[in-house]
Amino acid sequence: MPVTDFKLEEKYKYQTGFNCHHESEAVEGALPIGANNPQKCPYGLYNEKLSGTAFTAPRWENQQTWLYRILPASAHAPFEPKETETFDTNPGIHGKERWHQIPNQLRWDPFDLDETVDWVHSLRLVAGAGDPTMKTGLGIFIFAAGKDMDPHHAFYSADGDLLIVVQHGALDIQTELGKLLVRPNEICVIPRGIRHRVTLPDGPVRGYILELYQNHFTLPELGPIGSHCLANPRDFQSPVASFDEDTEHEYTLLAKFSGHLFAAKQQHTPFDVVAWHGNYYPYKYDLGRFATIGSISHDHPDPSIFTVLTAQSDHPGTAVADFVIFPPRWLVQEDTFRPPWYHRNTMSEFMGLIGGQYDAKTGGGFQPAGASLHNVMSAHGPDASTHEKASNAELKPAKVGEGSMAFMFESALMVGVTEWGLKKCAKVQHDYNAESWEPLKPHFQRPTPAKIVNGTSNGVKVMQVLQKPDKPGPDYFRSTRYSGPLPVSIPPSPQRRTFYKCLSYQAVAVITYVANDHGHITPVYDGDTITCIGRHKSEMSIIYQSKSSQISTSQKICKLANIGVIPSQMLVDFWGIWVIHFALNVSGGAFVYMTAIRAEEV
């Protein structure tokens, strides 16, 4: 069934739909009819507007909710800084922490559980980019907690929307708008500013958070997919109104503001919203309901087909953050390497594993509660063992990812790593490259006979064979000029040489080598000299020579080439014919236009 079989039974009721205008009242009649802020609200409630976007944002992205509560949210004492030496989740100019901007591929062992802290103090920033004070970028956190929040505490982040991925345990989240139960294989989004309290009904918890500093999450466009599939709107669940009534006890309101922690006191519960209506609210989603699509012919599609939620930048199609999953799915492609291909990406990819084994990393290093980061243009892909298995697997229909759920936070931004993420957590796998990609072996084999056309082999670019022009000149030859190193062939001892008799050959080349008296060639610049070898081995002439060239140099080259027999080390088989090398035991360069020789063994 397309629903996760949860160990912990659901205990709350929800409204369904994504970005819908919902309304809910815990007391019948608490919502005013036909008005948002009447002179007097029903039952003596205060009305309050919660704005998730600017008032004048386009209607399709405008997010606002009206709250009807016992006391307004503003009824508290001033905020004071709290834990300034230890709580800093905004590296850069606003705190003492700094980003480590590095291109290395990174992978972390499973992060430890910590039973000594509550939800607020479990948040550990691992990576991120941008600045919440400018409402740009994102932060990537690990959380690991073992204690309920204090019954008289509430928390909110002014920095961004919290996308929460539970890996272990369960979160019972009381928000101003109602309650949600979030278990492994579910995600939850708590929008910016919404106050909440977290308790742990199933013991210690651990998981991942993407905090979105700009915009809000939306569903990806489906394009030619049509009107449904991927994450369907009806499968998102939002809370119904639920409130506490307490104006006698002191409460502490904790705020994450510019990455720092602040606290304020108030004499009433923050969870006193009796009714609400609007489209700015927390919600959750069961990843087991994701309707996966894929290729049913050949090739491995881009992983964007697994996008659950996206937050677009100002450039459509380019995301500040995508939330992508790799759920259980069938693979049926023919003649296809089925795991993800090797890849360098203009996007940054942070991956985590909720449970099971990710099908592109079967070597054992990528474990549940661990993570990896492949930053902008950092090369990555299947590890060596996965490549070997997939390259030789029988391509019959196969289901992968059974009992597994991997995910990815992807961003167009270059992601920095914190000091905690790189060093203090002590979870970075320093042998990641050695275990994953360094064991890869070359499998390239030259075709026999070679059939390389307009390609490159050992640094020699094979040009189209040219006929001798009637009136050669510099413009003609330079139009197809190639500069690059020729292969180095060290001649064996004379008694081991195989000699060939030249039957006919012609060559048009600009040579940048000089022969010494021992027959070795030293690379020099020869001023665009063009030497033509005729159809008889004794016939050679200089058909074009620029003013800057040295005739003595060209004569030396002619003398070297004008030999009756050619050592086999000067020949290499291209196109099924013999091509001469003007390099014996040194590396250098030549401008080669056409060389072709027919030869037979003496």
Side-chain angles (χ1 to χ4, degrees):
M1 291 180 62
V3 178
T4 301
D5 183 14
F6 295 105
K7 181 182 74 171
L8 189 63
E9 187 177 351
E10 182 61 75
K11 59 180 180 178
Y12 300 124
K13 294 187 179 298
Y14 302 97
Q15 303 176 92
T16 59
F18 187 86
N19 198 27
C20 300
H21 192 108
H22 286 312
E23 63 176 41
S24 180
E25 53 186 14
V27 176
E28 187 176 359
L31 280 174
I33 298 175
N36 294 316
N37 58 320
Q39 184 180 24
K40 291 187 177 181
C41 294
Y43 307 123
L45 298 172
Y46 288 86
N47 75 294
E48 177 180 281
K49 190 172 188 178
L50 179 61
S51 294
T53 59
F55 296 142
T56 54
R59 292 188 73 137
W60 61 269
E61 67 176 15
N62 205 304
Q63 295 190 25
Q64 316 280 335
T65 289
W66 286 94
L67 310 176
Y68 302 90
R69 59 192 314 157
I70 295 171
L71 282 170
S74 56
H76 60 72
F79 281 99
E80 299 289 342
K82 185 177 175 63
E83 303 170 25
T84 55
E85 294 299 316
T86 57
F87 199 103
D88 182 0
T89 64
N90 188 14
I93 63 174
H94 304 290
K96 63 181 181 179
E97 295 291 334
R98 293 292 180 267
W99 292 119
H100 293 273
Q101 302 284 2
I102 55 176
N104 291 338
Q105 304 98 325
L106 296 173
R107 189 163 70 185
W108 289 267
D109 284 330
F111 294 94
D112 294 332
L113 292 167
D114 186 350
E115 299 188 21
T116 66
V117 296
D118 64 7
W119 168 253
V120 176
H121 299 92
S122 75
L123 305 179
R124 294 287 190 176
L125 183 66
V126 176
D131 182 353
T133 68
M134 301 299 294
K135 293 188 176 179
T136 59
L138 76 165
I140 297 173
F141 294 78
I142 295 295
F143 69 86
K147 296 169 58 178
D148 293 345
M149 285 180 63
D150 188 289
H152 294 91
H153 283 188
F155 172 75
Y156 75 92
S157 174
D159 295 339
D161 293 4
L162 301 173
L163 190 160
I164 302 166
V165 182
V166 178
Q167 185 273 326
H168 178 82
L171 303 177
D172 193 334
I173 306 176
Q174 181 181 19
T175 78
E176 294 176 89
L177 282 73
K179 298 178 180 180
L180 305 100
L181 180 66
V182 187
R183 301 154 291 184
N185 226 47
E186 285 184 312
I187 62 168
C188 171
V189 174
I190 302 179
R192 183 196 312 265
I194 291 183
R195 299 169 181 183
H196 59 279
R197 174 178 174 263
V198 177
T199 58
L200 315 178
D202 197 29
V205 295
R206 180 175 52 199
Y208 314 81
I209 296 175
L210 187 155
E211 185 167 23
L212 180 65
Y213 301 150
Q214 69 185 89
N215 301 336
H216 298 290
F217 289 105
T218 63
L219 296 177
E221 297 294 339
L222 294 180
I225 294 174
S227 60
H228 67 281
C229 278
L230 309 187
N232 291 307
R234 70 182 293 254
D235 293 320
F236 288 82
Q237 299 175 301
S238 55
V240 296
S242 174
F243 72 99
D244 294 338
E245 188 175 2
D246 185 358
T247 57
E248 297 178 357
H249 295 93
E250 183 179 77
Y251 286 79
T252 299
L253 181 61
L254 300 169
K256 188 167 83 71
F257 194 93
S258 185
H260 302 283
L261 194 64
F262 294 82
K265 301 294 185 181
Q266 63 183 52
Q267 296 300 317
H268 62 99
T269 175
F271 306 111
D272 62 355
V273 176
V274 180
W276 61 270
H277 74 87
N279 63 350
Y280 191 62
Y281 45 74
Y283 55 87
K284 73 169 187 171
Y285 176 73
D286 175 6
L287 301 179
R289 302 188 184 196
F290 188 82
T292 310
I293 64 171
S295 172
I296 54 174
S297 57
H298 64 276
D299 276 357
H300 184 102
D302 291 340
S304 49
I305 62 172
F306 302 127
T307 303
V308 180
L309 294 170
T310 184
Q312 294 292 294
S313 68
D314 295 334
H315 187 74
T318 302
V320 176
D322 282 330
F323 175 63
V324 180
I325 64 172
F326 302 94
R329 60 202 182 278
W330 282 93
L331 300 181
V332 298
Q333 305 99 308
E334 297 177 321
D335 192 22
T336 296
F337 182 78
R338 289 178 174 177
W341 11 255
Y342 292 100
H343 191 206
R344 287 178 297 163
N345 194 354
T346 189
M347 311 283 278
S348 299
E349 303 178 12
F350 179 94
M351 288 194 64
L353 186 60
I354 298 171
Q357 183 182 69
Y358 178 44
D359 56 285
K361 292 286 191 298
T362 59
F366 187 49
Q367 302 173 49
S372 67
L373 173 62
H374 304 138
N375 226 316
V376 171
M377 289 301 167
S378 295
H380 56 281
D383 55 31
S385 62
T386 301
H387 181 271
E388 182 67 21
K389 293 175 186 176
S391 298
N392 298 286
E394 181 183 357
L395 293 181
K396 58 183 180 180
K399 193 169 186 180
V400 298
E402 284 278 34
S404 173
M405 182 65 72
F407 72 88
M408 178 168 65
F409 297 150
E410 185 178 48
S411 175
L413 305 177
M414 186 174 289
V415 172
V417 184
T418 63
E419 182 75 8
W420 186 87
L422 193 62
K423 299 176 182 179
K424 292 181 179 178
C425 71
K427 295 297 180 181
V428 172
Q429 297 178 6
H430 298 290
D431 61 349
Y432 183 26
N433 290 52
E435 185 270 328
S436 295
W437 303 296
E438 290 180 17
L440 289 166
K441 296 181 173 66
H443 299 291
F444 174 72
Q445 294 181 345
R446 293 177 177 272
T448 305
K451 295 182 179 180
I452 304 175
V453 179
N454 293 331
T456 300
S457 175
N458 285 350
V460 179
K461 188 171 184 179
V462 182
M463 299 293 182
Q464 181 180 1
V465 177
L466 304 177
Q467 298 299 319
K468 178 181 176 182
D470 294 331
K471 295 181 179 181
D475 292 337
Y476 175 86
F477 290 103
R478 287 173 183 165
S479 66
T480 57
R481 186 165 63 186
Y482 163 73
S483 177
L486 288 173
V488 177
S489 300
I490 300 177
S493 60
Q495 60 267 31
R496 293 178 56 194
R497 292 188 180 183
T498 300
F499 291 91
Y500 290 84
K501 176 182 177 182
C502 297
L503 301 180
S504 65
Y505 52 89
Q506 65 178 22
V508 180
V510 179
I511 306 298
T512 58
Y513 295 90
V514 173
N516 60 25
D517 294 336
H518 300 288
H520 294 162
I521 296 176
T522 303
V524 298
Y525 176 70
D526 194 28
D528 283 346
T529 297
I530 300 173
T531 303
C532 179
I533 305 174
R535 287 196 172 275
H536 301 287
K537 65 177 183 287
S538 61
E539 178 185 352
M540 295 188 67
S541 62
I542 299 173
I543 60 173
Y544 171 78
Q545 179 178 336
S546 69
K547 293 181 181 180
S548 63
S549 65
Q550 302 175 19
I551 189 68
S552 59
T553 298
S554 300
Q555 287 173 339
K556 288 183 179 181
I557 297 171
C558 294
K559 181 179 179 181
L560 175 69
N562 188 21
I563 55 180
V565 291
I566 302 175
S568 61
Q569 281 68 31
M570 294 179 67
L571 304 176
V572 64
D573 190 3
F574 287 136
W575 308 325
I577 61 176
W578 294 104
V579 176
I580 191 167
H581 285 181
F582 284 101
L584 296 181
N585 65 346
V586 295
S587 61
F591 298 146
V592 180
Y593 293 97
M594 187 282 289
T595 56
I597 290 179
R598 286 197 306 113
E600 66 180 18
E601 188 173 346
V602 176

